[in-house]
Amino acid sequence: MAVKTNALRLIESAGIGFDAFEYDISDGMIDAVSIARKIGRSSEEVFKTLVTEDPHHEHFVFVIPACAELDLKKAAKAAGKKSIDLIPSKQLLGLTGYIHGGCSPVGMKKAFPTFIDETAILYETICVSGGRVGLNIAIAPEDLAGVTAAEFLDLTK
């Protein structure tokens, strides 16, 4: 692996074990379901990172299975807000330091309140972005929650 990302540096400095998976992006298929197929994992084990905003411009991070859809009502309740919406992709880089398709829940520019779908605890490891397009990591859900100060909740439709 040529380049270490913020996510990898933080996970390594915390002494957390992980496996890295690089995958081909030349076909342009960088959605989480396609990534699951490319790295040989089920779409229930590969999680996508979604960044949201409430009407007062507070931000929250949700980590959910590739095959699932974020339930915005459940997300708002988890965040203790009346409503919440996904941020536009064009805001992602400036806010998190990551681009669409390479957004890791670990190592964002600022630590935002983070929530992981409770189905993660069904697996020994889950896969999330390693901080760049073409890189995913397998990490124990409890370790991911620890390094991101996340809670496990029911977040999907």
Side-chain angles (χ1 to χ4, degrees):
M1 194 173 327
V3 179
K4 291 265 176 143
T5 63
N6 285 341
L8 296 182
R9 281 191 283 279
L10 285 169
I11 291 168
E12 286 177 347
S13 69
I16 296 170
F18 67 94
D19 290 316
F21 300 93
E22 292 192 87
Y23 57 90
D24 180 35
I25 60 171
S26 63
D27 61 3
M29 303 296 291
I30 60 168
D31 62 280
V33 172
S34 296
I35 293 166
R37 187 175 57 254
K38 290 178 180 187
I39 65 172
R41 297 285 185 114
S42 74
S43 59
E44 289 84 11
E45 295 173 86
V46 175
F47 281 59
K48 54 190 172 186
T49 303
L50 304 173
V51 182
T52 64
E53 182 176 58
D54 78 354
H56 302 288
H57 306 291
E58 291 181 78
H59 297 94
F60 305 90
V61 176
F62 295 91
V63 183
I64 66 168
C67 58
E69 184 179 344
L70 182 64
D71 184 316
L72 292 174
K73 288 184 181 188
K74 289 179 182 178
K77 183 177 179 183
K81 302 297 175 180
K82 285 188 177 190
S83 66
I84 210 164
D85 283 303
L86 293 171
I87 66 165
S89 290
K90 65 183 179 193
Q91 291 179 11
L92 195 60
L93 179 60
L95 184 65
T96 67
Y98 293 125
I99 63 170
H100 178 74
C103 186
S104 178
V106 180
M108 291 186 182
K109 284 183 175 182
K110 180 180 174 191
F112 298 112
T114 302
F115 306 89
I116 303 170
D117 189 71
E118 65 189 6
T119 60
I121 60 175
L122 300 174
Y123 303 97
E124 187 175 319
T125 62
I126 60 169
C127 296
V128 296
S129 174
R132 69 172 167 80
V133 179
L135 176 66
N136 255 45
I137 57 170
I139 185 171
E142 296 81 5
D143 288 340
L144 180 61
V147 77
T148 59
E151 292 180 60
F152 293 101
L153 295 169
D154 176 17
L155 301 171
T156 59
K157 291 184 178 181

